[in-house]
Each structure stands twice: as C-alpha cells, then as structure tokens.
C-alpha cells in the first residue's frame, strides 16, 4: 500500500468528523436564533397586575406595559428615559404598571423610599423612582445599607423624614416587594428590566422592540 493510500481513510474520517461537528454547530445556532416562548402559569394575569400595583396612564389604555424593575439595576436606569418618552409619545394609549424585582443589596430600601413618596402623593412615586435612577451611581452596588443616603434623598425630594424612616424599616414594604418578586419568579423572570406588553413577554430587550409591541397594540 502506498503512503498516499494509507492517508486516504484517515482523511475521510477527519472530513466525516468535521461534517458532524458542522451539523451540531448549525443546529445549536438555529436553536438559539429561535427561542421558545416561555409558558406562562394559568394565573399569569393575576400575577402580572395586582389590585394595588401602581400604574401610570389611563386604565382603559389600549396597551398595558408591565415592567418588573429594580431601582438598583443599571439596565433599568438606562432604559428609563426612553420608556418615559414612549409613554409621552403614545399619551393616552399606553399604561405602565410597575412591579418590583429586587436583585441587589439596597433594592428593598430603595423601594421603601419610593413607597414613602407614594404615601404622600402618587405622583411623587414616579418622581422618587426617577430621582433614585439619577442618583444610582452614588448608592448602587454598595454592600452596606445606604439608609443615610436615602434619608438625604428624602430631604432633597421634600418628603416627610419620619415617614420615610418608617417606610425603610417597614415589614409592609418588605412583604410588598417579596410578593412582587414571587410573582416575577412564577412568570419566569430572572433579570431586570423585564417587560410584558398586553400580557405577552417582550423577548428582546430594546427600545425598538418595545415600541414595535406598542404600535401593534394601538392598531
């Protein structure tokens, strides 16, 4: 047998192995490109919006956006300005429902400040939320409780200090946040922000995808 004829079977085996590997890679990429939609639980509508879930926009809006967010989440902060611009652009046609999904050390304390603001005036809820996002670089990603910082923010927002102090320690707030978190887990959420538009989860996190879903809903 010649040297070249000895190499032929080895070459064929190598080519065959490469063909199998290529097939596996193609199938893997195809599966990633077409993710299966998450199966929602039978009580999804109840878990998406609770009776006391805060909302911004008319109750009869054609489009309802439910956002599971974390005040300490950088991605939530990043998308907030565009989210508010979309609410303004589609004024009267879109309602935003906010749900907590805490993932960081000071998330619950931040929620306490937001809830304290809401007790004074519901409009202050959204102002406090925006303010916390604006100041996030000061208090976010800290391993110690930022209580004094939140009390400073309360003063800057003109909130009642004693009420904020109670809210930061409140079991009621902790229970509220934990209920929201459990609802999120039941809905398959693992990160923030996660959006649902008219009950359907937004699989691609982008302003463009969110606006496309809004446009589809207002037709």
């Amino acid at each position: 047998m010649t040297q070249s004829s000895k190499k032929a079977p080895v070459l064929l085996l190598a080519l065959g192995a490469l063909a199998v590997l290529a097939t596996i890679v193609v199938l893997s990429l195809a599966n990633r490109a077409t993710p299966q939609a998450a199966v929602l639980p039978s009580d999804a509508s109840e878990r998406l919006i609770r009776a006391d879930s805060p909302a911004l926009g008319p109750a009869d809006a054609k489009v309802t956006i439910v956002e599971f967010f974390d005040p300490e989440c950088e991605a939530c902060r990043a998308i907030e300005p565009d989210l508010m611009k979309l609410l303004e652009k589609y004024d009267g046609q879109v309602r935003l429902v906010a749900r907590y999904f805490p993932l960081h050390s000071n998330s619950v304390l931040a929620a306490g400040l937001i809830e304290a603001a809401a007790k004074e005036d519901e409009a202050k809820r959204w102002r406090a939320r925006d303010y916390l996002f604006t100041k996030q670089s000061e208090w976010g990603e800290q391993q110690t409780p930022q209580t004094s910082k939140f009390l400073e923010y309360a003063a800057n927002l003109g909130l009642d200090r004693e009420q904020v102090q109670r809210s930061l320690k409140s079991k009621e707030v902790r229970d509220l946040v934990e209920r929201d978190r459990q609802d999120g887990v039941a809905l398959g959420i693992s990160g923030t922000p996660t959006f649902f538009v008219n009950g359907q989860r937004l699989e691609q996190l982008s302003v463009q995808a969110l606006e496309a879903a809004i446009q589809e809903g207002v037709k």
Side-chain angles (χ1 to χ4, degrees), residues 3-55:
Q3 190 68 21
S4 59
S5 61
K6 288 180 181 179
K7 292 181 178 179
V10 177
L11 181 59
L12 288 174
L13 286 173
L15 289 174
L18 286 173
V20 172
L21 180 60
T23 301
I24 292 172
V25 171
V26 169
L27 289 175
S28 175
L29 291 174
N31 287 335
R32 290 185 186 181
T34 56
Q36 296 297 313
V39 177
L40 297 180
S42 57
D43 60 347
S45 59
E46 177 185 350
R47 289 189 177 276
L48 273 173
I49 304 176
R50 295 289 183 171
D52 59 349
S53 295

Side-chain angles (χ1 to χ4, degrees), residues 51-189:
D52 59 349
S53 295
L56 188 60
D60 61 349
K62 288 184 176 181
V63 175
T64 294
I65 300 172
V66 179
E67 179 193 17
F68 282 83
F69 83 105
D70 180 345
E72 199 169 345
C73 162
E74 292 181 358
C76 296
R77 180 197 67 201
I79 204 169
E80 180 77 356
D82 290 313
L83 176 60
M84 292 302 155
K85 286 177 183 176
L86 287 175
L87 292 180
E88 184 178 349
K89 181 176 180 178
Y90 296 94
D91 184 34
Q93 301 181 81
V94 177
R95 175 176 65 142
L96 173 66
V97 177
R99 307 293 306 275
Y100 293 112
F101 197 81
L103 293 169
H104 297 84
S105 300
N106 282 282
S107 303
V108 179
L109 280 176
L113 176 59
I114 293 172
E115 293 303 314
K119 282 186 179 296
E120 294 191 19
D121 187 315
E122 188 61 25
K124 291 184 179 182
R125 170 190 300 279
W126 305 98
R127 183 183 172 203
R129 167 174 151 144
D130 177 70
Y131 190 84
L132 284 174
F133 280 140
T134 301
K135 297 291 186 179
Q136 192 187 79
S137 61
E138 296 179 356
W139 64 270
E141 301 299 332
Q142 303 295 323
Q143 299 307 309
T144 56
Q146 298 296 294
T147 303
S148 59
K149 184 66 71 174
F150 291 134
L151 289 174
E152 175 189 327
Y153 294 160
N156 294 343
L157 289 165
L159 302 177
D160 182 272
R161 181 184 175 90
E162 291 185 3
Q163 179 165 277
V164 172
Q165 283 181 313
R166 289 194 298 270
S167 186
L168 293 178
K169 301 176 183 177
S170 170
K171 182 180 182 299
E172 179 184 356
V173 171
R174 292 198 303 272
D175 288 347
L176 167 67
V177 174
E178 178 58 18
R179 183 204 63 186
D180 279 9
R181 189 192 69 80
Q182 290 182 5
D183 281 346
V185 170
L187 292 165
I189 295 171

